Amino acid sequence: MRHGFLSLLRKDFKLMLSSKFLLLVFGSLILYSCYINFFYANLDQDIYPVYLYDPLGTESEVSSDVIQVSSISELQTVCADGYSVGIDVSGGEPEIVMITSKIESIDRYRAAYALMLLSSDDSSMAEIVGENNREMKNRREITCEFLFFELAAVGFLGLASTLFKEKQMGVIRVHGIIPISKTAFILSKLILFLLVDLLFACLITIINLGFFDGISVLPDVLLQSGILSMIMVLVGFFCAVRLPDFKQFSLLYLVLAIFISTPVFLAGQTGIDWVWINYHPMYHLFMGMKNAYFATPSVRIVYYIVSAVAIMLLFLIVYRALIREMAKEG
Amino acid sequence: MRGLKYQLKNIRRDKMCILSFLLPIIVGLAVSSLSDASFTSISETSFGIIENNLSANDVEWLRSYGKILVFKDMNMLKTAVNNPATHLIGVLNDSNGIKTVLSGDELQLYAVIGNTLPQLYMKDKMVSNVKVTIYPTENNNDFLKSLLIVITMVTALFMGCTFNAMSIISEKEDGIALINKVLPMTKKSYLIQKITLGFVGGVLSTILTACVCIRLEIKAIFLFLILIVLSAFISAMAGLFIGRFSSGLMIGIVYIKIIMILFLAPPVLFYLAVSASSILHTLSYVFPSSITFYGFMDLLNGHIQNIGLYIIVLFAHCIVWFLMYLITGKHRENAY
């Protein structure tokens, strides 16, 4: 029995290699890591630029953050973006000019901030209560997003590509008559894809968070990756068994990758107040992953119980679908 | 023409294909139904305070600069300030007025607001003595909402590419590509059939998405249609390239994924992070989807001065992509 299961694992690994799934996974790893390290890690949003038109030199204690302009038309041009703030002192007294941001409170702050820069540089320092700096926050945030996207979309896709190949080769029909249980057939794929997903999670975390920061969050990240991976592989298995060809499956993948993940990312990363998002199962999986990356304590027994039940239920559904498919194949 | 009829007949049976073209429209409906208030609440600066810590006057003053969230104790405030999804600035009572609490991982914008708020509190009276002129903006759309709508439309265009690529790859896998070689069908008619399907699907899907999401002036509608047609053509061509260079489904998926990232990520990033006057912005024209994205955003914001340039560059892209497809086809034995 054990020998049969090992043979299945070996066969699935060979199929995985021939379908170039590992190429896709490691290509993605390189692509994501380059993007994180060369671009996203340094992403920032500057404070409102303040421009001053002071032809008479009236203001003498101007902050070094203020940019001087030489004409009123230049002042109007630079302030046309609805973000910058202009100070016109050509009439002797300062006048704040700007295009509205459409949010009154922000406009009010922009005006007050610009005026404050006219007097001195004496800003105080706020009390810092967090442990991350901006760069590390960016790294954790985007690594979490990429890992979630990769596990949700690609794990789902990888399994399907091998299963469709097997369907074409008539392997499912053969399995109907050989003495290897259907559970072993599902488990061998599940274990293999779970291992690849965990390896991917491990590499993307350590490469992009750094060795020590990566290691410190890795146990939690691997736990969340394991849950997500098993759910997605089983969903992928079910879809691959039920759908007639890979083209239909790949379109479904695109739908999932773009339209299902986007609201989850928006709600999870911007704090947008959508009540309905709580009914979106992927949101809870994403938040589980995010809490793991930010080492936020979130021991929620209900979440783990629901996840375990979902995995078992999916396994049963896949098992029944496989039996049905084998019966159909004769 | 008959070949095209067969291709259309084939699609009619393919529910998933129809669904994929319909999906951007459904998402467009969902985005346009979201209230503007939920988008505004993200952009507004948020301040966290502790119950009964600040005086009523101070709370009122703070409310004039952003929305206020009240927490029961310091621990809850610290947890909220540390929440990476928000940019909450904690504000507490202090002997000299107020003091602020930050997590230390904020964007520069919020770090500066947090660091300057106590000084602003001390000096705020002087703002009321200064004349402040705020001009209205020409753009009445919410920025984030516009961004989501445009991303949805660019995605709708991308569907044409995916459809073409998957159609050609599955024909290769099923051996239909080999049958096509012996059928009395020219490469030209094959090319027209394949481009037409992805192109028409992409155009229709994007136009219908636009219909449910946005309202434009007549002149803008015309320019909008030109942008859609040119972009859908490039998207269909990208699908043909993927189909030609993919030896199998998995390789096809790798290419689709790369193209999808190049189609969606650079436009958003360049639009958000790079100034419109910089050389990098001009260099981003190398990605056709960037030009489409800038064009859609400009039209939504009521700016049409750069649309002519965008149309010329997109047209140049169409010619280059088409010629490249023909030239590379001549060098390949299995050119379809």
Side-chain angles (χ1 to χ4, degrees):
Chain A
M1 192 66 191
R2 188 190 294 168
H3 179 72
F5 185 67
L6 286 176
S7 305
L8 266 179
L9 268 179
R10 210 166 31 241
K11 180 262 302 175
D12 283 333
F13 185 64
K14 278 182 183 168
L15 264 173
M16 191 187 254
L17 285 179
S18 72
S19 70
K20 311 266 195 316
F21 176 72
L22 291 178
L23 178 79
L24 175 70
V25 169
F26 291 105
S28 303
L29 180 69
I30 294 167
L31 196 72
Y32 294 152
S33 300
C34 287
Y35 174 76
I36 294 170
N37 286 290
F38 297 126
F39 186 81
Y40 199 88
N42 304 313
L43 206 65
D44 201 355
Q45 185 180 358
D46 293 339
I47 185 71
Y48 315 109
V50 176
Y51 294 92
L52 173 70
Y53 176 53
D54 185 12
L56 306 171
T58 317
E59 300 296 331
S60 52
E61 290 179 18
V62 178
S63 158
S64 54
D65 293 331
V66 174
I67 306 155
Q68 303 264 356
V69 293
S70 54
S71 68
I72 191 77
S73 59
E74 191 184 347
L75 188 72
Q76 284 164 349
T77 310
V78 291
C79 294
D81 57 3
Y83 193 74
S84 307
V85 189
I87 310 172
D88 179 12
V89 201
S90 57
E93 290 293 320
E95 180 191 347
I96 307 286
V97 282
M98 60 184 170
I99 305 241
T100 181
S101 64
K102 291 187 287 182
I103 298 173
E104 201 185 330
S105 59
I106 290 182
D107 287 345
R108 191 173 152 76
Y109 177 79
R110 287 162 74 200
Y113 170 73
L115 210 60
M116 201 177 70
L117 291 188
L118 277 188
S119 52
S120 61
D121 281 314
D122 58 349
S123 67
S124 65
M125 292 309 285
E127 184 189 343
I128 303 295
V129 293
E131 287 170 4
N132 290 318
N133 56 23
R134 183 185 43 75
E135 186 190 329
M136 185 45 84
K137 181 201 167 187
N138 284 357
R139 284 179 180 277
R140 288 179 198 269
E141 189 174 74
I142 194 72
T143 307
C144 165
E145 279 189 25
F146 278 147
L147 178 60
F148 181 81
F149 179 79
E150 199 62 20
L151 297 187
V154 181
F156 175 76
L157 188 78
L159 182 123
S161 72
T162 56
L163 203 60
F164 275 113
K165 204 140 223 151
E166 286 189 297
K167 266 170 98 173
Q168 280 172 358
M169 288 154 60
V171 174
I172 291 186
R173 188 181 300 175
V174 173
H175 268 282
I177 51 165
I178 58 173
I180 287 181
S181 75
K182 286 146 199 84
T183 309
F185 183 78
I186 302 168
L187 272 181
S188 79
K189 290 189 182 354
L190 190 63
I191 289 170
L192 206 58
F193 279 90
L194 179 66
L195 288 176
V196 172
D197 283 345
L198 292 181
L199 178 66
F200 181 83
C202 199
L203 289 175
I204 199 169
T205 305
I206 288 173
I207 289 172
N208 295 301
L209 261 60
F211 185 75
F212 294 108
D213 285 308
I215 289 287
S216 68
V217 296
L218 206 54
D220 245 6
V221 168
L222 289 181
L223 175 65
Q224 300 303 327
S225 303
I227 293 172
L228 181 61
S229 171
M230 280 194 277
I231 289 176
M232 293 317 296
V233 167
L234 287 169
V235 172
F237 200 115
F238 177 74
C239 293
V241 169
R242 300 289 298 183
L243 289 172
D245 61 42
F246 193 72
K247 189 177 83 182
Q248 293 204 348
F249 188 89
S250 64
L251 290 170
L252 184 74
Y253 148 74
L254 205 68
V255 168
L256 186 98
I258 298 171
F259 295 113
I260 307 290
S261 308
T262 307
V264 171
F265 286 149
L266 264 178
Q269 301 290 51
T270 64
I272 193 167
D273 196 14
W274 288 339
V275 178
W276 61 266
I277 202 79
N278 283 312
Y279 300 105
H280 197 315
M282 300 297 274
Y283 174 71
H284 298 285
L285 291 166
F286 178 70
M287 288 313 289
M289 184 74 84
K290 194 174 171 192
N291 286 334
Y293 266 101
F294 281 92
T296 313
S298 60
V299 185
R300 290 170 298 153
I301 300 296
V302 178
Y303 166 76
Y304 292 110
I305 292 172
V306 171
S307 301
V309 170
I311 291 169
M312 283 190 280
L313 212 63
L314 279 168
F315 192 90
L316 281 175
I317 293 170
V318 163
Y319 186 82
R320 288 184 68 85
L322 188 65
I323 289 176
R324 218 174 126 179
E325 186 66 19
M326 280 177 177
K328 215 164 77 184
E329 294 263 343
Chain B
M1 197 62 199
R2 191 191 290 172
L4 197 61
K5 212 172 100 184
Y6 286 133
Q7 296 272 3
L8 282 170
K9 205 171 164 184
N10 191 24
I11 288 178
R12 211 179 59 197
R13 293 197 187 121
D14 196 340
K15 291 184 189 69
M16 195 57 75
C17 169
I18 296 168
L19 179 73
S20 68
F21 281 122
L22 283 178
L23 209 86
I25 305 165
I26 299 164
V27 174
L29 269 172
V31 172
S32 57
S33 67
L34 290 171
S35 72
D36 287 342
S38 53
F39 287 106
T40 305
S41 71
I42 303 173
S43 315
E44 204 173 11
T45 313
S46 309
F47 300 108
I49 61 171
I50 299 174
E51 224 170 29
N52 302 324
N53 179 262
L54 290 179
S55 70
N57 282 344
D58 289 349
V59 172
E60 206 49 47
W61 173 83
L62 203 56
R63 190 165 284 130
S64 68
Y65 287 116
K67 65 178 176 190
I68 293 180
L69 302 172
V70 183
F71 297 91
K72 280 213 162 73
D73 54 41
M74 189 62 188
N75 277 342
M76 287 173 82
L77 177 69
K78 277 186 180 174
T79 308
V81 168
N82 276 329
N83 180 357
T86 62
H87 295 286
L88 191 78
I89 299 167
V91 182
L92 300 169
N93 188 18
D94 189 58
S95 53
N96 299 322
I98 57 165
K99 68 171 186 176
T100 46
V101 179
L102 292 172
S103 71
D105 60 9
E106 292 85 1
L107 298 169
Q108 194 215 4
L109 171 69
Y110 297 102
V112 172
I113 293 177
N115 286 330
T116 53
L117 207 65
Q119 272 66 45
L120 216 60
Y121 179 81
M122 305 296 284
K123 297 175 181 176
D124 194 50
K125 284 188 177 59
M126 66 187 192
V127 180
S128 54
N129 301 328
V130 172
K131 188 181 173 194
V132 178
T133 310
I134 302 175
Y135 296 104
T137 174
E138 294 168 14
N139 171 23
N140 290 319
N141 299 317
D142 183 274
F143 175 74
L144 191 60
K145 197 170 178 177
S146 303
L147 198 69
L148 279 179
I149 289 171
V150 172
I151 290 173
T152 308
M153 288 196 293
V154 174
T155 310
L157 286 169
F158 181 72
M159 289 297 176
C161 162
T162 313
F163 173 77
N164 272 356
M166 292 317 295
S167 158
I168 296 171
I169 297 168
S170 51
E171 280 185 4
K172 270 187 182 176
E173 295 250 314
D174 298 342
I176 297 172
L178 296 171
I179 297 169
N180 282 339
K181 277 186 178 179
V182 292
L183 285 177
M185 179 171 61
T186 62
K187 286 176 187 172
K188 192 179 148 195
S189 62
Y190 180 83
L191 186 66
I192 291 169
Q193 280 175 32
K194 286 294 168 200
I195 288 182
T196 311
L197 288 176
F199 172 73
V200 172
V203 167
L204 285 179
S205 179
T206 315
I207 289 176
L208 290 173
T209 309
C211 285
V212 297
C213 290
I214 54 177
R215 299 283 170 270
L216 294 171
E217 292 170 14
I218 300 291
K219 191 180 174 188
I221 289 174
F222 179 68
L223 295 170
F224 196 73
L225 285 176
I226 298 177
L227 283 178
I228 289 177
V229 166
L230 293 174
S231 310
F233 182 80
I234 297 168
S235 174
M237 287 303 303
L240 292 192
F241 270 107
I242 294 174
R244 169 179 286 172
F245 291 108
S246 305
S247 52
L249 279 168
M250 213 60 205
I251 294 287
I253 295 291
V254 174
Y255 288 146
I256 287 176
K257 191 173 167 183
I258 291 170
I259 297 285
M260 184 175 80
I261 291 172
L262 292 179
F263 229 80
L264 295 175
V268 184
L269 291 176
F270 281 115
Y271 188 81
L272 295 179
V274 177
S275 157
S277 55
S278 79
I279 187 82
L280 253 179
H281 187 270
T282 314
L283 281 176
S284 70
Y285 289 2
V286 78
F287 301 106
S289 58
S290 296
I291 311 164
T292 313
F293 188 89
Y294 303 152
F296 286 173
M297 282 305 278
D298 277 8
L299 285 173
L300 241 66
N301 295 337
H303 306 143
I304 55 167
Q305 59 267 37
N306 290 329
I307 303 294
L309 173 70
Y310 296 149
I311 289 174
I312 293 168
V313 181
L314 272 180
F315 191 68
H317 263 289
C318 288
I319 294 171
V320 169
W321 283 66
F322 188 70
L323 288 178
M324 267 170 57
Y325 188 80
L326 293 182
I327 293 165
T328 51
K330 282 186 183 166
H331 296 290
R332 290 176 70 90
E333 204 182 350
N334 300 322
Y336 272 103

